[in-house]
């Protein structure tokens, strides 16, 4: 027997089955929302993993193509490595759940979500977030949940709770908010330049819905929840802290961390570590946990300096941004490049333009997303933080940072009609000391403008941090956090936007939620900071998009043709279109709607190709004067090719004003000639004239 529970959520039914499947998992919930079905499970090891100083939590989101009645692509016809959407969804599930686990818990824990069916009106990503929370809450794994999540869209200024995929496609807002019973714990947003006030309103609209869901979850937990397991705590004993403090007093630790140079701080901490290792050489128990103990000591020191003394490790004011630098055109021959530096965070971004045929094809469960025209990719090599670590491809963090910067720029990109290019921006991290994703946003914006992409407005981003005390009123919001403040602080609140509004938000926290006052202050600080960045340094590097593209970028000409004439342009087995390509050297792509894209480096060749395509699709009418090539000669006249699929004939009497004895006296095969259409007979034959007098009339 199993138990089933239901509630109405945004006009659709949310149903939860407990005890129906996966009896050997620590917790399992079979989730249904409309016809979308997701199986969420939580499993943990019985004992802690030895030799680690972190909580080994894994969150998985598995997309199965059978969920939408399709075969997977590729030769093997089997799902393989997780796609970007699955990775990003896993990260969104992880961020609100991780802070609610005990800080001293070291058992392996896996929260897995299997997407089994998809109703395009009900988001599987949202259902996985809810299922992950519930499966963990009813399990015996220690966790201070539940939390709940809600998506918010906005169409014509009106908020829509849990929008359908069709609504998301035209929405000005894509917001996901996770909450505990009392506070907001995670925010993820993409927006079409939404005002700060409207964004805050949307966040707390979602928070209201989350509280209703948590009430529903509480009733399920009360009936089905297991008693939480006992576990071995990995907390550093207080007596070890006292020993460390006696060897390295708080004042000495403050001196070690108080510097604006990351490498110097690392050297200082290496000296502190060496001193402690030597002093505790005979204390095996203390040595075994010394790295974690030093980390906790450093963390407490930094937090105390900031919260109580208002003293940041690099000496900045609470609302001060690190020194800024920006420049463009660093790299020759690429289509666009820019460097953005903030303190010891430095990003080089390179933009490449290509024909629309190069857009990225996407295989997703959302039928409204089939391709990506703008791609932003982010790389984080080991040398950026002084590590001898080779790159093995992008990890989840790199994919997440790239997606955030991509989302930040999407609202200001020109339409396909105004700029018929596929666009790829690659952010290379040259140096890192906090908030490289926001540096990537700024560098990408500069690089796009340098490449001549006519973006609507500049975009900049900043990250705000937080240090909290014992009460909700005891906190300090920091502008532009560096790495140390991110590691030891309670929040990483990233906001990107234009002068007019917000384009993206990503909020990570390490505590059990934020009050509305903190959210409001963080958004306000971020607004002030991004204006300072745009007006203070980015504008000086490049004030607006260039009017001309790089000479190395492809030129593109587009024209719209009747879709019924696509076959005429392509020709039998592609003969016609390939002939145009061979003749002009241009690349030609045609979509199903009849949009023809002609691309290449030589503009004259593109114009020639366009002219040929127009000659194919345009109807020929009497009186038109056209250019053509002589392709066949008979004793009674010459046949002239007007387009690859249309020939006309010039009778020998129409070759010149006077008498012509022989066709070859006037034209030969291969000659380019100017002709006038005299008539199109009942059989569709085109009769031409070359007589100068006829061409004048």
């Amino acid at each position: 027997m199993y138990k089933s529970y239901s509630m109405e959520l945004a006009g659709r039914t949310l149903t939860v089955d407990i005890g129906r499947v996966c009896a050997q998992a620590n917790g399992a919930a079979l989730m249904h929302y409309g016809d979308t079905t997701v199986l969420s499970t939580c499993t943990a090891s019985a004992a802690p993993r030895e030799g680690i100083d972190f909580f080994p939590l894994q969150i998985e989101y598995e997309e199965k193509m059978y969920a939408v009645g399709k075969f997977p692509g590729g030769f093997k016809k089997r799902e393989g490595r997780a796609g970007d959407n699955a990775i990003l969804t896993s990260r969104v599930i992880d961020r609100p759940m991780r802070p609610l686990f005990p800080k001293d818990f070291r058992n392996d824990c896996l929260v897995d979500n299997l997407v089994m069916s998809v109703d395009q009106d009900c988001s599987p990503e949202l259902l996985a977030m809810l299922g992950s929370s519930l499966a963990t809450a009813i399990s015996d794994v220690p966790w201070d949940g539940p939390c709940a999540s809600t998506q918010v869209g906005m169409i014509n200024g009106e908020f829509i709770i849990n929008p359908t995929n069709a609504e998301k496609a035209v929405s000005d807002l894509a917001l996901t908010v996770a909450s505990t019973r009392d506070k907001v714990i995670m925010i993820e947003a993409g927006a079409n330049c939404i005002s700060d006030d409207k964004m805050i309103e949307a966040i707390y609209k979602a928070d209201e819905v989350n509280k209703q869901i948590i009430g529903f979850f509480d009733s399920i937990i009360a009936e089905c929840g297991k008693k939480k397991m006992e576990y071995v705590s990995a907390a550093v004993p207080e007596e070890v802290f006292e020993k460390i403090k006696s060897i390295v007093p708080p004042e000495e630790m403050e001196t070690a961390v108080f510097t604006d140079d990351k490498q110097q701080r690392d050297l200082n901490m290496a000296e502190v570590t060496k001193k402690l290792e030597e002093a505790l050489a005979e204390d095996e128990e203390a040595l075994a946990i010394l790295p974690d103990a030093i980390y906790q000591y450093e963390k407490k020191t930094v937090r105390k300096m900031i919260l109580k003394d208002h003293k940041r490790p690099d000496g900045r004011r609470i609302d001060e941004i690190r020194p800024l630098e920006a420049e463009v055109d660093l790299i020759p021959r690429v289509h666009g490049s820019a460097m953005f530096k903030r303190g010891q965070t430095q990003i080089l971004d390179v933009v490449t333009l290509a024909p629309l045929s190069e857009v990225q094809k996407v295989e997703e469960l959302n039928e409204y997303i089939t391709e990506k025209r703008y791609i932003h990719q982010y790389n984080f090599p080991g040398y950026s933080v002084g590590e001898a670590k080779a790159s093995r491809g992008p990890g989840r963090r790199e994919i997440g940072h790239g997606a955030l910067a991509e989302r930040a720029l999407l609202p200001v990109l020109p339409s396909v009609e105004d700029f018929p290019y596929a666009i790829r921006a690659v952010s290379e991290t040259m140096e890192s000391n906090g908030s490289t994703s926001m540096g990537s946003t700024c560098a990408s914006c500069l690089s796009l403008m340098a490449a001549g992409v006519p973006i609507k407005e500049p975009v900049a981003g900043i990250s705000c941090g937080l240090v909290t005390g014992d009460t909700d009123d005891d906190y300090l919001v920091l502008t532009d956090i560096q790495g140390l403040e991110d590691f030891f602080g309670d929040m990483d609140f990233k906001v990107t936007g234009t002068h007019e509004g917000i384009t993206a938000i990503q909020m990570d926290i390490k505590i059990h939620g934020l009050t509305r006052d903190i959210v409001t202050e963080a958004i306000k600080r971020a607004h002030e900071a991004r204006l300072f960045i745009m007006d203070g340094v980015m504008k000086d590097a490049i004030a607006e998009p260039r009017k001309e593209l790089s000479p190395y970028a492809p030129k593109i000409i587009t024209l719209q043709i009747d879709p019924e004439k696509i076959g005429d342009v392509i020709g039998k087995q592609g003969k016609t279109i390939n002939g145009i390509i061979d003749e002009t050297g241009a690349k030609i792509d045609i979509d199903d709607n009849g949009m023809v894209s002609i691309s290449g480096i030589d503009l004259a060749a593109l114009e020639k190709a366009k002219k040929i395509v127009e000659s194919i699709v345009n109807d020929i009418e009497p009186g038109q004067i056209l250019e053509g090539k002589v392709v066949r000669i008979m004793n009674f006249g010459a046949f002239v090719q007007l387009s690859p699929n249309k020939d006309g004939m010039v009778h020998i009497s129409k070759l010149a004003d006077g008498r012509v004895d022989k066709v070859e006296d006037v034209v030969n095969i291969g000659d380019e000639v100017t002709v006038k259409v005299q008539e199109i007979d009942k059989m569709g034959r085109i009769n031409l004239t070359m007589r100068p007098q006829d061409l004048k009339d």
Side-chain angles (χ1 to χ4, degrees), residues 48-67:
R49 191 195 299 184
E50 295 292 334
I52 61 171
D53 58 0
F54 62 93
F55 171 39
L57 171 67
Q58 297 178 77
I59 305 285
E60 299 294 336
Y61 176 81
E62 300 182 60
E63 296 180 317
K64 299 294 184 180
M65 293 308 294
Y66 60 66

Side-chain angles (χ1 to χ4, degrees), residues 89-228:
T89 302
S90 297
R91 285 170 58 85
V92 163
I93 297 170
D94 184 298
R95 298 212 312 271
M97 292 191 66
R98 188 176 291 271
L100 301 179
F101 285 95
K103 298 291 186 288
D104 57 347
F105 191 49
R106 296 292 182 267
N107 298 43
D108 284 281
C109 184
L110 171 65
V111 178
D112 190 78
N113 297 277
L114 180 64
V115 181
M116 307 187 78
S117 69
V118 174
D119 173 351
Q120 297 296 324
D121 289 344
C122 300
S123 165
E125 295 88 353
L126 174 68
L127 194 57
M129 294 186 75
L130 297 175
S132 296
S133 171
L134 186 56
T136 308
I138 64 172
S139 76
D140 59 349
V141 178
W143 189 62
D144 194 14
C147 59
S149 303
T150 295
Q151 296 176 338
V152 182
M154 189 176 78
I155 300 176
N156 298 324
E158 297 295 324
F159 294 132
I160 300 171
I161 299 299
N162 295 345
T164 66
N165 285 339
E167 289 169 332
K168 289 176 182 178
V170 296
S171 176
D172 288 323
L173 176 65
L175 171 67
T176 302
V177 177
S179 310
T180 62
R181 289 183 182 84
D182 306 312
K183 299 173 183 176
V184 169
I185 195 168
M186 192 281 298
I187 303 170
E188 180 94 3
N192 190 14
C193 299
I194 301 294
S195 71
D196 293 359
D197 291 342
K198 199 72 174 176
M199 182 63 78
I200 293 169
E201 183 184 352
I203 290 168
Y204 285 92
K205 186 84 171 175
D207 185 51
E208 292 173 8
V209 179
N210 286 338
K211 286 176 169 53
Q212 298 171 23
I213 298 170
I214 288 173
F216 172 59
F217 283 179
D218 282 341
S219 64
I220 299 173
I221 297 165
E223 284 194 40
C224 304
K226 298 177 182 178
K227 181 183 177 181
K228 296 302 181 182

Side-chain angles (χ1 to χ4, degrees), residues 495-544:
V495 184
T496 70
T498 65
H499 284 85
E500 301 302 319
I502 293 169
T503 60
I505 293 179
Q506 186 178 93
M507 186 192 84
D508 303 324
I509 63 173
K510 301 170 188 173
I511 53 177
H512 286 206
L514 302 181
T515 64
R516 184 163 184 155
D517 287 344
I518 295 174
V519 172
T520 301
E521 184 174 348
I523 290 176
K524 177 177 178 291
R525 288 277 197 90
H527 189 132
E528 295 168 351
R530 74 171 183 266
L531 295 186
F532 178 81
I533 293 168
M534 284 187 286
D535 296 337
V537 65
M538 291 175 64
K539 188 176 180 180
D540 291 341
I542 184 167
E544 61 183 15

Side-chain angles (χ1 to χ4, degrees), residues 556-672:
I556 297 179
I557 295 175
T558 60
L559 68 153
Q560 181 69 47
I561 66 172
D562 184 342
E564 293 185 0
K565 295 190 176 182
I566 293 174
D568 295 339
V569 178
I570 295 173
K572 187 177 181 181
Q573 296 180 333
K575 182 178 179 181
T576 302
I577 194 169
N578 287 329
I580 303 171
I581 292 169
D582 291 341
E583 181 179 345
T584 64
K587 181 176 180 178
I588 303 174
D589 298 294
I590 310 175
D591 68 18
D592 293 339
N593 298 317
M595 178 61 71
V596 181
S597 175
I598 305 170
S599 60
I601 300 297
D602 185 354
L603 192 57
L606 306 191
E607 292 290 353
K608 182 178 180 181
K610 178 184 178 184
K611 192 172 181 180
I612 296 173
V613 172
E614 288 175 332
S615 72
I616 295 172
V617 300
N618 292 339
D619 293 330
I620 291 178
E621 298 177 358
Q624 285 182 318
I625 296 176
L626 305 169
E627 301 293 325
K629 180 190 291 187
V630 178
V631 292
R632 191 155 53 103
I633 290 178
M634 306 295 285
N635 58 6
F636 54 80
F639 287 86
V640 177
Q641 185 183 66
L642 305 175
S643 74
N645 64 344
K646 297 187 186 83
D647 289 351
M649 191 196 75
V650 184
H651 191 269
I652 191 170
S653 64
K654 305 290 186 179
L655 286 171
D657 285 335
R659 176 180 174 80
V660 177
D661 294 323
K662 191 177 179 183
V663 174
E664 288 87 342
D665 291 341
V666 181
V667 295
N668 289 290
I669 291 176
D671 287 354
E672 299 282 347

